[in-house]
Structures are given as structure tokens and as C-alpha cells.
Amino acid sequence: MSDELFEYAPAPESRSVVRIEDSYGLFIDGEFVSAKQTFPTIDPATEEVLAEVSEAGAEEVDLAVDAARTAFERVWGPMPGRERAKYLYRIARIIQERSRELAVLESIDNGKPIRETRDFDLPQVAAHFFHYAGWADKLEHAGYGTTPIGVAGQIIPWNFPLLMLAWKIAPALACGNTVVLKPAETTPLTALAFAEICRQADLPPGVVNIVTGGPETGRLLVEHPGVDKIAFTGSTEVGRRIARAVAGTGKRLGLELGGKGANIVFDDAPLDQAVEGVVNSIFFNQGQVCCAGSRLLVQESVAEELLTRLKERMATLRVGDPLDKNTDVGAINSAVQLATIGELVASGEAEGAERWSLECELPERGFWFAPTIFTGVAQSHRVAREEIFGPVLSVLTFRTPAEAVEKANNTPYGLSAGVWTEKGSRILSMAQKLRAGVVWANTFNQFDPASPFGGYKESGFGREGGRHGLEAYLAR
Ligand code: NAD
């Protein structure tokens, strides 16, 4: 429909369903405690300062680990699984009850569209707590023993703040561990809202502790001698640093790191569905997804047709206010991330790939990047090799299935892949050959708490989700 006939009417979600405090303390031993240092958290769509948040230093990390240790030894570790389950079910129900508020808060602090926080993040968060609540009294049937590890230090990134918290906290608690969790410095607010939920659920003090702060707080947690396990989700570079710090200490370690997923479209694929899948694989959450299909491998005979349809579909994407229910692509999470995307896109142009960006009006303030595709990409280009973590797709072509496998696996990462074809036998044979933790067939970015998720190679090790996710939190 042309613009003359149709005047756009925004459908903004209300900000009034959330109350953001001027400042926040750390959540230690069931209480909110202020630290000496604070840092601001901002709304990436407006650059407005939302709140001052406490930065945990050595003293506060000590307090949090001590509280977790005491709670583990005296209360949570000895508690029967069926009792722990009651708390987890209660938390899951409160999350459902408060999901509108949490979705709005996540969109404001992270920049992701309300449609995604409302329809993806929050339902998944609640589902994870329900799933692991169900395991708490059935651990002996999972095959990994029933003995918890102890105190888990958990460090998470900013792309799915509350969902990454759920992936970490739900299985840890179900198995009888206590936790000290550090959210990312740009997205602390939903973790602090979760702290309130722990109080609302009467969770015993010290079972969950939240220490906000940046890399230094993370380092203090990783190196703390009172922590029995480190669970980290974030960049491969920081993951390497953490692996070095933990080596030889006897601490258990789980790493969920970056990715450079290949979405492979064969010439027999239903092209319109494949286009939807490609859009979902790279523009969902502004492409800030570890398992994003950031490399499109398309069979040469349908490449032109697919790209034409993809551009037509991209022209309908609405970029802008994350709280508008019509928005498809929201704000990039931070100025730093925006600069990283800009630098990699510039490298793509300099190396000779052809750039096409959606023409759209971007808000004046805030951090924005128009959905972009690169064609004529060679394997050696940085845009084909490095994780961009933004709404940028690199398109490569192939002629044979063998070439598709070779190109897809030609990456240091191994987290995700997609295969689009009408042949079931081809799906199975591709899935066996692709070195990726998850392979989606004729779909992309599907998640379920019952299904394990994790990587090969530089995408990390260990699995989160499902029965397999319990292994990371049990000492056998
Ligand atoms: P990041 O590695 O910069 O930061 C992640 C977390 O680690 C943050 O909380 C940060 O404060 C903390 N941190 C930074 N330096 C640290 C240090 N030296 N010691 C301890 N903690 C430290 O990553 P990011 O930019 O926040 O997140 C994006 C990355 O996360 C991407 O590479 C993405 O692929 C990855 N990711 C992976 C998964 C997965 O399941 N595999 C899921 C989501 C995101």
C-alpha cells in the first residue's frame, strides 16, 4: 500500500507498567545493598539515563559468594528436590503474572522490540523455570547423579538478558546449587527485577545473589576461590580469558560463546518460506543473536530470485521505537556495539563485497543500524568470518551439497545452521555433516526448554536446556 493511501499509526506499549528506580543496589543475601561505585544504564533507543546501578567490587563479591555458600550448606543443598520445585514453580508463575512489565522493562533497557520481548523472551523465560521446576524432584532419572556442585558464578551477556538469566539460574537451582549472577553492564534492570521476584517468591536469602558491574566484577567472580563452578555466556575472546583463569583451579566451567551460523538454501526449497526464515535468522533481535544465520549460503541457480524476494521482504521491515508493537527491528544495544558493526561493515565494503542497506528513516537519537546485506562475499572476507552481531547478512553461493557443507563448516565457530530443502534425506545428510550444535530444518531460531543448546569449536562447550542442561550443575 502506498504512503499516500496509508498513514502510519504507531501502537506504543505503555511505559507506565514499569517503575524504574533512580538507583539500584546489589542483591546479596536477600537484601538490596548499595556499593561504593555506581554506573548508569541507558535506554539505547533514546540515550536517556534510566538509572544508576551499583558496581560490585571485591568486598561485595565476597559478601555475595559467602551468602551463596551459607545458603547452599544450610538451606538449599539439603532441601529435598520436591521442596525446591515449589519455589521454582512459584518463580515461574510470578514471571508469567508480571510478564508485561518485564517485557517492557527489557525493551527499554535492551532496545529490542516489544513484540519480541512479549512473544519470545518472556514466554521462554517462564517456560525455562517451569521446565526445570519439573526436574527438581526427578534428578535421579536424568542420569547425571543428584549431588549439586555448590556455588555457581554465572556471567551473562546483554542480548537476551532475562532469558540468559533463566537459562543459568533455573537448572542451577533445580539441582540444588546456589548462585551469584552477574548480568551485562548495559542490561542490568531485568535481573534486578528478578531479584525482587525472588523476594516475592520467599526464596531463602542467599540462594540467588545478583552482582551488577562490568568486566572487572566478572573477573572478581571468576577468580573468587569460594566459587565451585563458572558458567559463562558471551564472546569467545572473554571466554578464552576465563578458561585461562579457571584452568588448574578445580572449578567446573561451561562456555557458551559466539557463532557465525550458515543458513543454507537449496534450489528445491520453498523460496518464500526460506525468505521468511532468512529474515528471522538475521534480523531477529537486530541480529544480536549468538546463533544468528549471519551467513546465507544459497544455491547458485536460485540466488538471484531469492535475493530479489529477500529485498522485497526487507522493504517491509519497520525499524524504530522498540515499544511500538509494529516494530520489527529495534535499537542496537550500545554505542560500542554500534561502532563494532560499523567497523565490520566498512571492512566488507573495503574488501570488495557489495553492500545493500534498507532505505529507512532512523531516529535521530539512539543507536540504530539499517538492515543490510552483502553480496559478492568471499570466504576470506571479514564479514564472512567474524561475528558481526548486528543486522548484517553476508551472502555466499554454492553449486553442490558438498560445497555447501564445506563452506558452512569453514569457520572457527560451530553453534547453529539452517537447511532449506524439500528433501528429507538431504536434511538428514546435511545435519550429520554440519559441525554445529543445532541444525534447524526449514525453520530457524526455534527454542524449547526441553531441547539442549550449545556449540562446537570456538562456540564453546557444554549444553544448556533440557535434561542435558542438568549435567552442568551436578557433581554426580
Ligand atoms: P562479552 O564477552 O563482552 O560480555 C559477556 C559478559 O562477560 C558481560 O557480563 C561482561 O561484563 C562480562 N565480562 C567481560 N569481560 C570479562 C572478564 N574478563 N571476566 C569476566 N567477565 C567478563 O560479550 P557481550 O558483548 O556481552 O555478548 C555478546 C557475545 O555473547 C557474542 O559473542 C555472542 O555470540 C555471545 N552469546 C553466546 C550465546 C550462546 O549461548 N552461545 C548466547 C548469547 C550470546
Side-chain angles (χ1 to χ4, degrees), residues 126-144:
H128 262 82
F129 277 98
F130 278 119
H131 180 83
Y132 282 107
W135 272 115
D137 63 349
K138 303 173 194 70
L139 294 177
E140 66 271 29
H141 302 294
Y144 305 118

Side-chain angles (χ1 to χ4, degrees), residues 11 14 24 43 51 116 165 176 189 245 257 275 277 281 292 317 344 348-349 385-386 401:
S14 169
Y24 287 87
D43 177 345
E116 290 179 10
L165 173 149
L189 294 186
L257 308 174
V275 164
S281 77
L317 291 176
L344 277 158
E349 289 176 295
R385 305 201 62 75
E386 294 180 31

